[in-house]
Amino acid sequence: MAASRAVTRLLPRAGGRPRAWYQQPLRPGGLGRGSILGPAGRWSQQEALGLLEAAVVYRAGPLVAVSKPPGLAVTGSPGQLSLVSLLPDLSQRLSLPPELHVVKAAGKDGSGLVLLSGCPGTTQQLHAFFTQLRRAGRPPATYRAVTAGVPAAAEGEIHTGLKLEQVGDLQLVVPVAAPSRRSVERKEVKQTLTRYKVLGTAPGCGLVQLQPMTAFPGQLLVHLTLLLCPALGDHVYSARVGTVLGEPFLLPVGSALPRTQVLGEQLLRRLRLTQQLLHRLPLHLHLHQLLLPTAVLTAPPPPFFLQTLHLLGLPGGQSAS
């Protein structure tokens, strides 16, 4: 089953409906045009529903795709705002079957495509299609990341074992360079693979394309740290990359617990930020493209992402004033 080359376009906005979150003008402390900082507060349920309803980028039969803002979790605890908790109301607003469920989604802290389905049979067919693509060496999903630092090679693969490990009070993803066969067979460790390609560079930063060939929580963020260039806005795993005399190196996992990302003075100046504001810097990891049997879905990068590219002098950037 070959994927079509047709690229879907953003659906036109109906009269009176709110603009997509990535088309909204700048609001103080928000994710609108011209800002690279995340919101100062949380969305209400109605605000989140409005954002998703206005951000539909594809619709065909039982399938609908939206572009998710960063910070909206896919799943959550009972009573916690999440994409899944919004699905019953979203399906009603979009006149879709009530059993709407997630097929593929950008992670909580990332932005980009979320593919939803109202038909379990269609979902099974899509998962089988994604598996076929991977077995054929074709990545179904393509991400873009702005990185602090630049990979040593312009393109390549990151291949390592990953496992979930309790580190203090946190459950974190830990790389395992040479996992035993037994640990893999017992599914204590998963062998993971990501292809990457540097799309552009500027002093101290880069725009990197990422195509995961396996799926594991936090895979892309951890793989970027192994390249010594964590994603901008990664406040979980970026602490594992330290510097000595300007040269990056990996710190032991146990001594590099999650914290607000630390950036060099040069990057801070170009981003027009101070270290005190960096806790509000959103993750610059965007699920840009997803292959379907009959279409190629794309989600435009959010304004903060484009503004960051512009400020850093990376390709694709534009002033979002």
Side-chain angles (χ1 to χ4, degrees):
M1 199 160 25
S4 165
R5 293 185 180 180
V7 178
T8 61
R9 295 189 298 270
L10 183 67
L11 296 181
R13 176 169 58 98
R17 292 183 61 187
R19 283 180 289 180
W21 64 271
Y22 47 78
Q23 296 172 318
Q24 293 175 1
L26 176 64
R27 292 181 298 171
L31 276 168
R33 237 174 249 286
S35 173
I36 65 169
L37 294 180
R42 297 181 179 179
W43 297 293
S44 68
Q45 179 173 330
Q46 292 304 310
E47 285 174 333
L49 275 171
L51 292 174
L52 293 174
E53 184 185 10
V56 174
V57 297
Y58 174 80
R59 186 166 180 169
L63 296 178
V64 62
V66 300
S67 185
K68 183 187 83 67
L72 178 61
V74 177
T75 61
S77 305
Q80 181 182 0
L81 183 68
S82 68
L83 181 65
V84 169
S85 73
L86 296 171
L87 289 184
D89 289 330
L90 185 64
S91 63
Q92 188 174 20
R93 289 194 180 197
L94 297 176
S95 301
L96 288 167
E99 61 270 18
L100 195 65
H101 52 272
V102 178
V103 180
K104 176 71 176 176
K108 172 190 173 182
D109 295 321
S111 61
L113 286 167
V114 174
L115 180 62
L116 305 170
S117 171
C119 174
T122 299
T123 301
Q124 291 179 352
Q125 291 175 0
L126 285 172
H127 284 307
F129 175 67
F130 295 154
T131 299
Q132 288 176 1
L133 286 179
R134 291 191 185 98
R135 288 175 178 170
R138 298 181 61 197
T142 298
Y143 294 74
R144 289 184 179 176
V146 180
T147 59
V150 180
E155 58 184 299
E157 295 182 344
I158 310 109
H159 188 192
T160 188
L162 293 178
K163 68 175 182 177
L164 290 170
E165 185 175 291
Q166 199 71 24
V167 180
D169 296 331
L170 303 169
Q171 190 176 53
L172 300 174
V173 180
V174 175
V176 182
S180 66
R181 174 188 290 182
R182 185 176 181 183
S183 67
V184 174
E185 291 174 347
R186 296 174 63 176
K187 298 184 178 180
E188 297 168 348
V189 179
K190 180 171 182 175
Q191 294 283 14
T192 60
L193 173 65
T194 300
R195 295 175 181 169
Y196 75 90
K197 182 178 181 179
V198 179
L199 301 178
T201 65
C205 59
L207 175 63
V208 181
Q209 174 180 283
L210 299 163
Q211 295 179 315
M213 300 300 293
T214 53
F216 195 85
Q219 173 177 321
L220 296 181
L221 296 182
V222 174
H223 281 184
L224 282 174
T225 66
L226 297 178
L227 292 176
L228 301 178
C229 53
L232 208 62
D234 176 6
H235 305 302
V236 178
Y237 298 106
S238 63
R240 296 180 182 178
V241 180
T243 56
V244 172
L245 300 177
E247 293 298 319
F249 69 98
L250 279 178
L251 289 162
V253 171
S255 64
L257 297 180
R259 65 175 185 185
T260 298
Q261 187 172 32
V262 177
L263 296 178
E265 289 299 322
Q266 186 185 54
L267 278 182
L268 286 174
R269 282 196 303 270
R270 285 153 61 199
L271 291 171
R272 303 172 188 170
L273 293 177
T274 63
Q275 187 63 43
Q276 289 72 26
L277 286 173
L278 277 189
H279 67 282
R280 285 180 52 201
L281 185 68
L283 181 64
H284 285 60
L285 178 64
H286 180 70
L287 178 46
H288 174 68
Q289 189 175 91
L290 186 64
L291 298 184
L292 296 187
T294 58
V296 180
L297 308 188
T298 59
F304 76 85
F305 198 107
L306 295 175
Q307 180 73 345
T308 294
L309 297 179
H310 170 71
L311 292 173
L312 295 178
L314 291 167
Q318 63 185 48
S319 179
S321 58

